Amino acid sequence: MPRLKRAVVVGIIIGVVMGFVDTYGYAVTGYTTAELSLVITPVLVMVVYRLLMKSVPPPGEQLLASLVAVGSSLSTTITSGMYITYTMLAAMVDPETIGLPQWLYYIGSLTPMHFLFYIFATASSLSGVLLAYAFSDHFISKERLRYPLGVAASLSIFISRAVSSKEVILVFATGLLTELLLGVLGFPLLDITPSLQGIVPGMTFAVGSDVLVFLLALMLPLSVTAGVALGSISMFSVVLPVMAFAGFFAAFPGMGVYDIVSSAAPITSSFIIGYVIVITAFYFLSYRGAFLSSLRFITKTRETRLSFFVALTIQLLTIILASVLIVQNSYFSPVFVPVIFFVSFLLSIVTMRMVGDTGTASQALLPLGTATILVSGARGAMPYVLADPYTGVPMPQFMAGTGMNVIKASEKVGAPKRQAVGLLGLSVMMFAPLTLLYGHVLLSTYGISSSRLNLSRWIPIVAWMSSLYSGGEGSIVLPAVVTGAITFFIVLALTRYLKSLAGLSTFAFLLGTTLTPDMGILFAAAALVKFIAYRMGTDVYEALLAYASIALAGAGAGIMILTFMSALGVV
């Protein structure tokens, strides 16, 4: 069997399973392993090769098989994830009131329009992968960014073949069993937030037990891990208490960590908007020379020029489609059409830059897109559905960041980046209808109020979306925007003038502000472990990374098993 064909077959086998896992996991936890799948999948691919093919694939083939499976995980963020989200929204508010079309949510059956729209949204999102291909030389060669998840993926590939089978099995099983045990126990959480509300209203402190998050933090560079921890702790120990004291949100006695997180959603989103505006301007001013040079290079090379202009055309057509649906709104000014397009492109570029530092951008930058649409005066769901990467469906920024990690991994293992990017895009498109079907099957089987498909964690964000789509009153808090902007300059000054914080990423700090405090504490613990390992010597530090990558794959497999157990009502 030819190597590429064999890689595709193995990738499909794994992708069929991972697509369901991410659909269910994202629905009940709001957390997906889609971005982490690039690190987890290579070990699973090696297991399938050894069991079914009775062989060890070359590194390039192992990566290509992994990318096919990764495409399934990525598609869930666009298809089943948003399908379930919009179903919750339709249950909370009259869809006609906010102009939410029936082909966005569950109506008892999947219609051709459901498939047509979500496939369109997937194709639009893949414009981000084309942008990544066009700008890969700039970010990887000129700015020399690390792209930690891309490096971690290549590390997983080499470790899965270099470490003895017994060691792989032992470490993999440790990660799997630990995740299973914690999952069966409901991922215990030590939350002292209720006690703090009588002392410092708005302050939160909780210690989580998700080993998957801890292992991911171990895989990232120390400066990134520490920056994420500092960002999360600062947000929930300083920013929110100040905002509560100033009366911008209510923190009542007895509120737990997730109560505070939900109540403060407009505050945190507004803070992020302010931070993102300033860091984006600072980044482009700092790198304007190199960036303009790369733009000239892109337009001179046929392949990159084609990728660049096709990506921009797809994004522009999506924005135009959104504008056609809202241009009749008396509050909407057509001047915002190019503004929204420009912001979308800008967010794609800055996301690729942020991912180069931190490995993942999550949704840290995207509220700026939401704010742009809100300021335009648009009302109703469709402008956000089509043009907002934060509460909408097309997600080119997310795909751009992932595309850069894929290109970095392909360079590390010697696989052609054109083949890697092309296979990723094809696999995302191939799995999109299937993962949409997975979301539909879950809703058909359990509905939105079953204990086996607990969607309660979506209530705060869906309530915020409802307010946003209805006009946005209270959705953006201006003092929090200003606080976010000022915070960037404080963080920048600290990293410039304090030796202990030298090298700390301002992008990592931003990512940390989007994570709940229990995750922030896990990142802090991981940073401490990495620091100790680094002080003990290079061999110890490299061994830590090696075993963490295998344990991370085991924890990912544990999540899969937990998902099926939960769906069957076993746990």
mmCIF file of all heavy atoms in Angstrom, residues 440-461:
data_model
loop_
_atom_site.group_PDB
_atom_site.id
_atom_site.type_symbol
_atom_site.label_atom_id
_atom_site.label_comp_id
_atom_site.label_asym_id
_atom_site.label_seq_id
_atom_site.Cartn_x
_atom_site.Cartn_y
_atom_site.Cartn_z
ATOM 1 N N HIS A 440 -25.636 16.453 15.870
ATOM 2 C CA HIS A 440 -27.077 16.218 15.708
ATOM 3 C C HIS A 440 -27.514 14.947 16.437
ATOM 4 O O HIS A 440 -28.570 14.934 17.087
ATOM 5 C CB HIS A 440 -27.411 16.110 14.216
ATOM 6 C CG HIS A 440 -28.865 15.909 13.945
ATOM 7 N ND1 HIS A 440 -29.789 16.924 14.036
ATOM 8 C CD2 HIS A 440 -29.570 14.778 13.609
ATOM 9 C CE1 HIS A 440 -30.997 16.445 13.753
ATOM 10 N NE2 HIS A 440 -30.891 15.158 13.499
ATOM 11 N N VAL A 441 -26.716 13.898 16.341
ATOM 12 C CA VAL A 441 -27.054 12.638 17.004
ATOM 13 C C VAL A 441 -27.103 12.823 18.518
ATOM 14 O O VAL A 441 -28.006 12.310 19.190
ATOM 15 C CB VAL A 441 -26.036 11.541 16.623
ATOM 16 C CG1 VAL A 441 -26.195 10.315 17.523
ATOM 17 C CG2 VAL A 441 -26.212 11.140 15.162
ATOM 18 N N LEU A 442 -26.149 13.567 19.065
ATOM 19 C CA LEU A 442 -26.144 13.808 20.509
ATOM 20 C C LEU A 442 -27.393 14.578 20.943
ATOM 21 O O LEU A 442 -28.018 14.241 21.962
ATOM 22 C CB LEU A 442 -24.888 14.583 20.917
ATOM 23 C CG LEU A 442 -23.578 13.797 20.943
ATOM 24 C CD1 LEU A 442 -22.408 14.719 21.249
ATOM 25 C CD2 LEU A 442 -23.632 12.667 21.969
ATOM 26 N N LEU A 443 -27.758 15.605 20.186
ATOM 27 C CA LEU A 443 -28.953 16.375 20.532
ATOM 28 C C LEU A 443 -30.224 15.554 20.333
ATOM 29 O O LEU A 443 -31.180 15.674 21.113
ATOM 30 C CB LEU A 443 -29.019 17.649 19.679
ATOM 31 C CG LEU A 443 -27.975 18.728 20.016
ATOM 32 C CD1 LEU A 443 -28.026 19.850 18.999
ATOM 33 C CD2 LEU A 443 -28.182 19.267 21.423
ATOM 34 N N SER A 444 -30.257 14.710 19.315
ATOM 35 C CA SER A 444 -31.426 13.850 19.086
ATOM 36 C C SER A 444 -31.586 12.844 20.209
ATOM 37 O O SER A 444 -32.702 12.509 20.618
ATOM 38 C CB SER A 444 -31.292 13.116 17.742
ATOM 39 O OG SER A 444 -31.252 14.009 16.665
ATOM 40 N N THR A 445 -30.457 12.354 20.705
ATOM 41 C CA THR A 445 -30.478 11.303 21.724
ATOM 42 C C THR A 445 -30.765 11.865 23.110
ATOM 43 O O THR A 445 -31.572 11.309 23.867
ATOM 44 C CB THR A 445 -29.133 10.553 21.743
ATOM 45 O OG1 THR A 445 -28.861 10.051 20.426
ATOM 46 C CG2 THR A 445 -29.169 9.403 22.734
ATOM 47 N N TYR A 446 -30.132 12.983 23.458
ATOM 48 C CA TYR A 446 -30.191 13.479 24.826
ATOM 49 C C TYR A 446 -30.956 14.795 24.990
ATOM 50 O O TYR A 446 -31.335 15.149 26.115
ATOM 51 C CB TYR A 446 -28.774 13.677 25.374
ATOM 52 C CG TYR A 446 -27.958 12.415 25.378
ATOM 53 C CD1 TYR A 446 -26.812 12.301 24.592
ATOM 54 C CD2 TYR A 446 -28.329 11.322 26.157
ATOM 55 C CE1 TYR A 446 -26.051 11.140 24.590
ATOM 56 C CE2 TYR A 446 -27.573 10.153 26.157
ATOM 57 C CZ TYR A 446 -26.442 10.072 25.367
ATOM 58 O OH TYR A 446 -25.705 8.919 25.369
ATOM 59 N N GLY A 447 -31.160 15.548 23.911
ATOM 60 C CA GLY A 447 -31.778 16.859 24.057
ATOM 61 C C GLY A 447 -30.816 17.837 24.709
ATOM 62 O O GLY A 447 -29.600 17.615 24.725
ATOM 63 N N ILE A 448 -31.352 18.916 25.286
ATOM 64 C CA ILE A 448 -30.481 19.927 25.905
ATOM 65 C C ILE A 448 -30.634 19.986 27.418
ATOM 66 O O ILE A 448 -30.072 20.872 28.064
ATOM 67 C CB ILE A 448 -30.752 21.325 25.309
ATOM 68 C CG1 ILE A 448 -32.196 21.756 25.580
ATOM 69 C CG2 ILE A 448 -30.433 21.361 23.825
ATOM 70 C CD1 ILE A 448 -32.468 23.193 25.206
ATOM 71 N N SER A 449 -31.372 19.046 27.992
ATOM 72 C CA SER A 449 -31.576 19.091 29.444
ATOM 73 C C SER A 449 -31.249 17.765 30.119
ATOM 74 O O SER A 449 -31.590 17.560 31.277
ATOM 75 C CB SER A 449 -33.026 19.475 29.762
ATOM 76 O OG SER A 449 -33.931 18.572 29.144
ATOM 77 N N SER A 450 -30.579 16.866 29.406
ATOM 78 C CA SER A 450 -30.237 15.564 29.971
ATOM 79 C C SER A 450 -28.981 15.664 30.828
ATOM 80 O O SER A 450 -28.053 16.416 30.514
ATOM 81 C CB SER A 450 -30.015 14.542 28.853
ATOM 82 O OG SER A 450 -29.474 13.340 29.366
ATOM 83 N N SER A 451 -28.940 14.889 31.903
ATOM 84 C CA SER A 451 -27.752 14.864 32.756
ATOM 85 C C SER A 451 -26.576 14.208 32.037
ATOM 86 O O SER A 451 -25.424 14.422 32.398
ATOM 87 C CB SER A 451 -28.045 14.099 34.048
ATOM 88 O OG SER A 451 -28.437 12.763 33.760
ATOM 89 N N ARG A 452 -26.867 13.424 31.004
ATOM 90 C CA ARG A 452 -25.800 12.770 30.247
ATOM 91 C C ARG A 452 -25.195 13.688 29.197
ATOM 92 O O ARG A 452 -24.153 13.378 28.635
ATOM 93 C CB ARG A 452 -26.336 11.496 29.574
ATOM 94 C CG ARG A 452 -26.736 10.417 30.548
ATOM 95 C CD ARG A 452 -27.033 9.124 29.818
ATOM 96 N NE ARG A 452 -27.500 8.089 30.719
ATOM 97 C CZ ARG A 452 -27.823 6.864 30.339
ATOM 98 N NH1 ARG A 452 -27.735 6.526 29.057
ATOM 99 N NH2 ARG A 452 -28.235 5.973 31.217
ATOM 100 N N LEU A 453 -25.870 14.767 28.904
ATOM 101 C CA LEU A 453 -25.315 15.783 28.017
ATOM 102 C C LEU A 453 -25.577 17.128 28.697
ATOM 103 O O LEU A 453 -26.425 17.914 28.299
ATOM 104 C CB LEU A 453 -25.968 15.734 26.633
ATOM 105 C CG LEU A 453 -25.342 16.639 25.557
ATOM 106 C CD1 LEU A 453 -23.936 16.167 25.201
ATOM 107 C CD2 LEU A 453 -26.202 16.696 24.306
ATOM 108 N N ASN A 454 -24.801 17.360 29.730
ATOM 109 C CA ASN A 454 -25.013 18.537 30.575
ATOM 110 C C ASN A 454 -24.461 19.780 29.886
ATOM 111 O O ASN A 454 -23.255 19.991 29.803
ATOM 112 C CB ASN A 454 -24.323 18.323 31.924
ATOM 113 C CG ASN A 454 -24.620 19.449 32.892
ATOM 114 O OD1 ASN A 454 -25.319 20.403 32.566
ATOM 115 N ND2 ASN A 454 -24.093 19.343 34.095
ATOM 116 N N LEU A 455 -25.371 20.625 29.394
ATOM 117 C CA LEU A 455 -24.977 21.829 28.663
ATOM 118 C C LEU A 455 -25.066 23.093 29.511
ATOM 119 O O LEU A 455 -25.020 24.203 28.983
ATOM 120 C CB LEU A 455 -25.876 21.989 27.422
ATOM 121 C CG LEU A 455 -25.869 20.814 26.431
ATOM 122 C CD1 LEU A 455 -26.861 21.076 25.300
ATOM 123 C CD2 LEU A 455 -24.473 20.589 25.857
ATOM 124 N N SER A 456 -25.170 22.931 30.816
ATOM 125 C CA SER A 456 -25.389 24.089 31.694
ATOM 126 C C SER A 456 -24.243 25.086 31.647
ATOM 127 O O SER A 456 -24.460 26.289 31.857
ATOM 128 C CB SER A 456 -25.610 23.627 33.133
ATOM 129 O OG SER A 456 -24.490 22.897 33.597
ATOM 130 N N ARG A 457 -23.014 24.611 31.363
ATOM 131 C CA ARG A 457 -21.895 25.543 31.362
ATOM 132 C C ARG A 457 -21.991 26.545 30.212
ATOM 133 O O ARG A 457 -21.313 27.556 30.184
ATOM 134 C CB ARG A 457 -20.569 24.781 31.308
ATOM 135 C CG ARG A 457 -20.301 23.983 30.069
ATOM 136 C CD ARG A 457 -19.574 24.691 28.950
ATOM 137 N NE ARG A 457 -18.430 25.395 29.417
ATOM 138 C CZ ARG A 457 -18.034 26.538 28.901
ATOM 139 N NH1 ARG A 457 -18.724 27.100 27.941
ATOM 140 N NH2 ARG A 457 -16.950 27.151 29.339
ATOM 141 N N TRP A 458 -22.905 26.296 29.243
ATOM 142 C CA TRP A 458 -23.066 27.216 28.121
ATOM 143 C C TRP A 458 -24.039 28.356 28.429
ATOM 144 O O TRP A 458 -24.126 29.315 27.658
ATOM 145 C CB TRP A 458 -23.566 26.459 26.883
ATOM 146 C CG TRP A 458 -22.510 25.603 26.272
ATOM 147 C CD1 TRP A 458 -22.405 24.251 26.346
ATOM 148 C CD2 TRP A 458 -21.379 26.040 25.515
ATOM 149 N NE1 TRP A 458 -21.285 23.817 25.689
ATOM 150 C CE2 TRP A 458 -20.631 24.898 25.165
ATOM 151 C CE3 TRP A 458 -20.930 27.300 25.105
ATOM 152 C CZ2 TRP A 458 -19.465 24.970 24.426
ATOM 153 C CZ3 TRP A 458 -19.762 27.365 24.354
ATOM 154 C CH2 TRP A 458 -19.043 26.214 24.031
ATOM 155 N N ILE A 459 -24.769 28.243 29.533
ATOM 156 C CA ILE A 459 -25.807 29.238 29.821
ATOM 157 C C ILE A 459 -25.251 30.666 29.880
ATOM 158 O O ILE A 459 -25.811 31.582 29.259
ATOM 159 C CB ILE A 459 -26.554 28.875 31.116
ATOM 160 C CG1 ILE A 459 -27.367 27.577 30.896
ATOM 161 C CG2 ILE A 459 -27.465 30.008 31.563
ATOM 162 C CD1 ILE A 459 -28.043 27.054 32.140
ATOM 163 N N PRO A 460 -24.133 30.935 30.590
ATOM 164 C CA PRO A 460 -23.629 32.315 30.657
ATOM 165 C C PRO A 460 -23.243 32.881 29.290
ATOM 166 O O PRO A 460 -23.615 34.013 28.961
ATOM 167 C CB PRO A 460 -22.411 32.205 31.584
ATOM 168 C CG PRO A 460 -22.657 30.969 32.388
ATOM 169 C CD PRO A 460 -23.363 30.030 31.472
ATOM 170 N N ILE A 461 -22.498 32.118 28.492
ATOM 171 C CA ILE A 461 -22.045 32.638 27.197
ATOM 172 C C ILE A 461 -23.218 32.813 26.245
ATOM 173 O O ILE A 461 -23.278 33.783 25.474
ATOM 174 C CB ILE A 461 -20.968 31.716 26.575
ATOM 175 C CG1 ILE A 461 -20.440 32.319 25.259
ATOM 176 C CG2 ILE A 461 -21.510 30.328 26.309
ATOM 177 C CD1 ILE A 461 -19.727 33.618 25.398
#
